Amino acid sequence: MPKRPATQSTLTLDEQIAQAEAVFTSIGDAAIATDQFGKITRVNPVAVELLGFTEEELVGEWYPRKVVAVTEHNIPINLIDRPITKAFLTGKSIAEKMYYRKHDGENIPVSVNVSPIIMGAKPVGAIEVFRDISFEEEVDRMKSEFISLASHQLRTPLSSIKTYSHMLLDGYMGEMTPAQKKSLRTIIGASNRMNELISTLLNITRIESGRIAVTPKNLRVERVADEVIKELALLAADRNISVDLIAKNKQGYTVKTDTLILKEIITNLVSNAIKYTPVDGTVTIHISTRGDKLQVSVSDTGWGIPQYAHDQVFTKFFRASNVVKRETAGTGLGLYLVKGLLENLGGRIWFTSIEGKGTTFYFTLPKRFNPDRPAPKPAGGP
Ligand code: ADP
């Protein structure tokens, strides 16, 4: 019979410590262990090499102070928002992407995973494993650049298709038969959808590469909502859906934010509400204030979002089975885009939904856009 390998119980205490040390040192990614106060107790060679500090410079130091974490805009991340703090507070493993400032002042993008070390139900420290993701970031940037270029190139031929279809429909090249007109309307509808898809893709690449430009201006939210209702009136009339606006404050709701981005957000939510509501339903936009923030909700009396899908609706390309079954058109990109846009304005989105009864999406926005609090870069979806 083959001899069984030695188990820990056959090792002396010194041997066990040496073995634990060897395991820690051999981790292929950077690894840093801290005590329960966040003081560094151990670092492995990969961490030393990546951060550019010596082991002596790190061990014994308070981790959040020694290794500064920053956003992609080089703004230091507050202690409370650092994964190590969240891991201590929640007792759970936390995974995030951020930038670490090296000893020489250079920032490197890192993927961080921190787990609390629990002994006897008490956190006695944490272990953080992180790796340099510069290469993945570069590939991501190239992918975004490609999508952006391809989308721009698609716009030119698309605009010719639209222009000539309109000219044919309007009789510039001779009178069309009713059947020909019907086909032309289908072509125009399809080119409009393609145009919207191109805009969505362009917006997503901008968000993912952190290139979204926010131009804050004082605006009245109820006016923006009103414009959206007018633009979507045909879509709503097609299904005999009434779209109502509730904005009780007589002085209106003024916020300082980006008009086009806000309009894109409301348009996406209202068009979803119309699209996913059966004929004769109702969609209601409600504007209010919530503390120092503005709140907008969009409710519908539609098919709702099944419980299983609640965690997934904001992920890229996700569409719930109840709407796919009904063969409604969609890409699953709208809400992913809305969430990214809102984060860029400093806002937040959530929803409640009961299948078969309806859905309400809520979002809040700061009354004044704060350029010093840019959004974190989204993970990129699945
Ligand atoms: P799309 O509408 O193009 O499919 P979205 O990202 O806008 O993509 O929405 C993702 C999914 O979330 C939809 O496919 C649908 O399953 C669900 N959803 C969004 N809004 C609603 C709504 N108002 N009512 C029911 N389901 C919704």
Side-chain angles (χ1 to χ4, degrees), residues 268-277 298-300 302-306 308-309 312-324 328-338 353 358-361:
N268 261 291
L269 295 179
V270 177
S271 69
N272 270 354
I274 297 171
K275 199 162 75 175
Y276 300 127
T277 295
V298 178
S299 313
D300 62 57
W303 297 310
I305 300 172
Y308 88 87
Q312 300 170 67
V313 287
F314 293 110
T315 52
K316 231 186 208 172
F317 301 120
F318 179 79
R319 307 198 68 220
S321 54
N322 64 331
V323 308
V324 174
T328 50
T331 56
L333 289 172
L335 288 176
Y336 174 73
L337 173 66
V338 164
S353 183
T359 305
T360 303
F361 275 90

Side-chain angles (χ1 to χ4, degrees), residues 83-330:
I84 191 164
T85 315
K86 291 186 198 164
F88 274 133
L89 291 178
T90 60
K92 291 187 184 141
S93 294
I94 304 287
E96 273 175 28
K97 289 181 184 175
M98 55 190 54
Y99 290 75
Y100 275 170
R101 196 172 287 160
K102 288 171 46 171
H103 187 39
D104 62 7
E106 186 200 344
N107 293 339
I108 42 162
V110 284
S111 169
V112 178
N113 203 317
V114 194
S115 301
I117 305 168
I118 311 281
M119 270 172 79
K122 270 198 350 221
V124 292
I127 176 141
E128 175 169 310
V129 177
F130 57 96
R131 67 191 171 83
D132 180 354
I133 51 166
S134 307
F135 179 69
E136 285 99 318
E137 294 272 296
E138 180 60 11
V139 171
D140 242 30
R141 195 191 56 75
M142 283 162 63
K143 184 192 74 185
S144 295
E145 221 169 73
F146 170 73
I147 294 176
S148 166
L149 197 78
S151 310
H152 273 300
Q153 297 299 326
L154 284 172
R155 273 216 162 129
T156 319
L158 192 59
S159 100
S160 303
I161 294 173
K162 269 179 71 177
T163 312
Y164 284 101
S165 305
H166 273 292
M167 284 169 73
L168 282 167
L169 187 66
D170 293 343
Y172 282 98
M173 282 98 170
E175 199 46 40
M176 295 285 120
T177 66
Q180 285 168 334
K181 282 188 178 171
K182 194 169 165 218
S183 303
L184 283 167
R185 281 197 198 96
T186 309
I187 294 173
I188 293 169
S191 355
N192 284 341
R193 279 205 301 283
M194 203 190 257
N195 215 359
E196 278 164 25
L197 185 59
I198 290 173
S199 301
T200 304
L201 284 174
L202 281 171
N203 271 328
I204 286 177
T205 53
R206 278 189 202 117
I207 287 179
E208 288 183 350
S209 59
R211 280 186 291 115
I212 199 110
V214 178
T215 316
K217 262 196 344 216
N218 276 329
L219 60 91
R220 293 279 285 274
V221 185
E222 70 281 11
R223 289 189 191 148
V224 177
D226 219 38
E227 274 174 37
V228 172
I229 293 176
K230 288 202 180 90
E231 282 168 25
L232 294 175
L234 268 183
L235 189 69
D238 255 4
R239 316 172 61 93
N240 196 33
I241 288 172
S242 67
V243 183
D244 305 321
L245 173 63
I246 303 176
K248 289 201 177 124
N249 187 354
K250 291 212 176 57
Q251 279 85 51
Y253 295 86
T254 304
V255 291
K256 188 165 184 183
T257 195
D258 187 294
T259 319
L260 287 180
I261 299 181
L262 178 65
K263 192 165 170 189
E264 174 91 32
I265 292 166
I266 300 179
T267 303
N268 261 291
L269 295 179
V270 177
S271 69
N272 270 354
I274 297 171
K275 199 162 75 175
Y276 300 127
T277 295
V279 284
D280 300 334
T282 309
V283 171
T284 312
I285 308 173
H286 190 171
I287 305 172
S288 58
T289 35
R290 191 184 162 100
D292 59 345
K293 295 199 165 66
L294 172 101
Q295 177 169 304
V296 178
S297 67
V298 178
S299 313
D300 62 57
T301 55
W303 297 310
I305 300 172
Q307 191 65 38
Y308 88 87
H310 280 205
D311 287 346
Q312 300 170 67
V313 287
F314 293 110
T315 52
K316 231 186 208 172
F317 301 120
F318 179 79
R319 307 198 68 220
S321 54
N322 64 331
V323 308
V324 174
K325 253 193 322 228
R326 289 185 167 91
E327 292 185 33
T328 50

